[in-house]
């Protein structure tokens, strides 16, 4: 039976990548060591590390005046590191609140500064993206933070807030944990991008930060060393031992992306997959329901509910068909199908076939 894994994270990885890692696990390219056993200061690992960064820069078109940092601590630590480093003497930051991950970022930032919530979709239970012209931006904000894809609510921005022509030259900060590498973006529009690796990059344990150089070096010197972007930037992410195996795996994913047409090709595939799944939900005469405003539906995480009382049966039967980890987040309920880059169209088609059968039997 073919297994398709719809986990929200840690999530499915490309099979080719796992196979390559398996083939190299005991002996990386004839050196007699596993990547896990290599000194991070050694020639072999330094090469892996540099290649991963170079491939990521190429894939995303990251300009030379941006640092790429391979850190740890997940998206959660960035909720603190962003205000730690980017306040630069200012007392307030702008945040957009579009769901569970925005809320967590906001709650953490409140420990460091005043948070100005410029737009909030709580009024409709986080089922839409507030229109840009309604945002109450502060020209004196240290930065504007938003979550381009809300992994739990399944709400995704199909546009990037354009701060370039706004007063104040406020840097844009994005938590791209669940949408990075899923569609082309213009990195130069952002001051800082961060992402936990375990959704669309590689295994857990690695956190990616892409930050414009002028935003590095402003942390309060009384703060813990490990929370200062400058320390990591100055040491090529090797101030302390980096998560070497996770970076190696991320590097294999970057090579896989390059081999398969890069991010533009991924976006085309992701649109096709999302269209198939949303079409099935919308054509089910209400048997399945996605609460998210159509224009703001996520290409990566598709939440949907079923007619009352059928969740347990649906999950059991999906499992038996090899369609795994479809249970929705506890805060939303129902189902959630995460269809990241590594999910093939065949997986979405298998899910839709099952959904149609299930609806017919139980409708
Ligand atoms: C998963 C996720 C996080 C949390 O990441 P951790 O690595 O568990 O800290 C934060 N933001 C978004 C958008 C996520 O999807």
């Amino acid at each position: 039976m073919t297994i398709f894994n719809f986990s929200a994270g840690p999530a499915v990885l490309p099979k080719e990548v796992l196979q390559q890692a398996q083939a190299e696990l005991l002996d990386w390219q004839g050196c007699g060591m596993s990547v896990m056993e290599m000194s991070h200061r050694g020639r072999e690992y330094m090469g892996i590390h540099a290649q991963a960064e170079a491939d990521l820069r190429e894939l995303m078109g990251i300009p030379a005046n941006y640092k790429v940092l391979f850190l740890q601590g997940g998206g959660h630590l960035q909720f603190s590191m962003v205000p730690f480093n980017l306040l630069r003497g200012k007392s307030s930051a702008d945040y957009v609140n579009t769901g569970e991950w925005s809320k967590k970022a906001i709650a953490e930032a409140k420990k460091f500064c005043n948070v100005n919530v410029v737009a909030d979709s709580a009024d409709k239970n986080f089922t839409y993206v507030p229109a840009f012209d309604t945002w109450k931006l502060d020209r004196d904000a240290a930065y504007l933070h938003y979550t381009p894809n809300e992994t739990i609510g399944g709400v995704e921005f199909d546009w990037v807030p354009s701060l370039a022509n706004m007063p104040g030259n406020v840097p844009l900060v994005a938590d791209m944990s669940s949408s990075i590498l899923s569609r082309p973006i213009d990195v130069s529009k952002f001051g800082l991008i961060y992402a936990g690796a375990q959704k669309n990059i590689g295994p857990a344990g690695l956190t990616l930060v892409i930050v414009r150089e002028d935003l590095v070096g402003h942390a309060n010197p009384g703060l813990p060393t490990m929370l200062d972007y400058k320390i990591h930037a100055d040491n090529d992410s090797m101030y302390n031992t980096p998560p070497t195996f996770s970076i190696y795996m991320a590097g294999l994913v970057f090579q896989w992306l390059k081999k398969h047409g890069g991010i533009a090709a991924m976006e085309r595939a992701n649109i096709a997959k999302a269209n198939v799944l949303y079409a099935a939900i919308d054509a089910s005469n209400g048997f399945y329901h996605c609460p998210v405003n159509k224009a703001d539906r996520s290409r990566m995480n598709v939440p949907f509910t079923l007619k009352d009382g059928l969740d347990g049966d649906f999950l059991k039967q999906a499992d038996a068909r090899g369609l795994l980890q479809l249970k929705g987040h506890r805060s939303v309920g129902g189902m959630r199908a995460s269809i990241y880059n590594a999910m093939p169209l065949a997986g979405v088609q298998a899910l839709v076939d099952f959904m149609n059968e299930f609806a017919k039997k139980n409708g």
Side-chain angles (χ1 to χ4, degrees):
M1 182 170 60
T2 315
I3 299 292
F4 293 109
N5 174 5
F6 296 91
S7 170
V12 60
L13 287 165
K15 187 163 244 154
E16 289 168 54
V17 164
L18 293 173
Q19 283 166 339
Q20 187 177 344
Q22 181 183 46
E24 297 178 339
L25 190 71
L26 300 187
D27 178 3
W28 184 79
Q29 299 192 0
C31 77
M33 296 179 285
S34 173
V35 174
M36 280 183 270
E37 304 170 303
M38 292 174 184
S39 164
H40 59 295
R41 312 278 179 207
R43 184 171 49 85
E44 293 88 353
Y45 177 74
M46 300 270 277
I48 290 170
H49 192 101
Q51 189 65 49
E53 179 178 336
D55 286 338
L56 181 70
R57 282 186 177 276
E58 183 185 331
L59 278 166
M60 292 184 69
I62 299 173
N65 64 324
Y66 283 72
K67 299 286 187 189
V68 172
L69 307 178
F70 294 136
L71 307 181
Q72 302 183 60
H76 279 87
L77 189 57
Q78 293 313 306
F79 297 161
S80 321
M81 279 179 82
V82 165
F84 259 143
N85 286 270
L86 263 52
L87 280 173
R88 296 166 292 146
K90 298 198 176 211
S91 59
S92 139
D94 281 356
Y95 277 73
V96 184
N97 186 15
T98 50
E100 297 300 322
W101 290 115
S102 300
K103 279 200 270 182
K104 281 199 142 181
I106 289 168
E108 191 68 8
K110 279 183 173 166
K111 296 182 175 181
F112 306 101
C113 63
N114 297 319
V115 170
N116 173 37
V117 177
V118 302
D120 195 326
S121 60
D123 59 341
K124 289 188 186 155
N125 204 19
F126 300 114
T127 52
Y128 72 103
V129 172
F132 188 58
D133 59 12
T134 67
W135 294 14
K136 298 190 172 59
L137 297 167
D138 173 8
R139 67 171 63 194
D140 292 321
Y143 57 87
L144 169 74
H145 178 284
Y146 82 117
T147 310
N149 183 60
E150 286 282 359
T151 321
I152 292 173
V155 171
E156 182 169 8
F157 285 69
D158 202 28
W159 44 278
V160 174
S162 178
L163 300 184
N165 301 317
M166 308 292 284
N169 203 15
V170 175
L172 182 62
V173 175
D175 174 0
M176 285 197 196
S177 292
S178 53
S179 54
I180 193 159
L181 302 173
S182 70
R183 57 164 78 205
I185 54 154
D186 178 355
V187 173
S188 73
K189 290 186 173 158
F190 297 84
L192 188 146
I193 291 166
Y194 65 89
Q198 69 272 22
K199 315 281 167 63
N200 218 8
I201 298 176
L206 165 66
T207 313
L208 183 69
V209 171
I210 302 166
V211 56
R212 209 175 60 215
E213 266 167 5
D214 62 286
L215 296 174
V216 173
H218 304 283
N220 177 338
L223 296 175
T225 308
M226 282 293 288
L227 301 184
D228 186 347
Y229 291 132
K230 186 168 180 3
I231 291 289
H232 299 289
D234 287 350
N235 291 278
D236 291 328
S237 307
M238 295 209 206
Y239 175 72
N240 73 320
T241 314
T244 52
F245 195 75
S246 292
I247 292 169
Y248 156 73
M249 290 294 294
L252 295 185
V253 170
F254 300 153
Q255 279 169 20
W256 177 81
L257 287 168
K258 282 173 64 174
K259 194 171 132 199
H260 292 274
I263 299 182
M266 282 301 132
E267 179 180 49
R268 285 194 293 277
N270 288 330
I271 291 172
K273 286 183 288 175
N275 283 347
V276 167
L277 186 44
Y278 286 115
I281 292 168
D282 291 341
S284 69
N285 287 320
F287 187 88
Y288 301 108
H289 175 67
C290 172
V292 180
N293 183 34
K294 281 193 180 163
D296 307 321
R297 286 176 166 182
S298 171
R299 294 177 185 166
M300 295 285 102
N301 311 95
V302 181
F304 60 94
T305 53
L306 277 75
K307 266 192 6 189
D308 278 350
L310 288 170
D311 284 9
D313 284 349
F314 183 92
L315 285 168
K316 218 188 315 167
Q317 291 175 32
D319 236 58
R321 299 261 292 242
L323 305 169
L324 307 185
Q325 310 207 67
L326 283 161
K327 195 173 181 349
H329 190 269
R330 59 190 181 280
S331 68
V332 179
M335 305 298 145
R336 173 175 46 168
S338 295
I339 50 176
Y340 298 117
N341 285 347
M343 172 61 64
L345 180 60
V348 176
Q349 235 128 31
L351 173 59
V352 164
D353 289 346
F354 166 67
M355 287 169 69
N356 288 339
E357 263 176 53
F358 188 86
K360 211 182 230 170
K361 264 190 244 149
N362 297 278

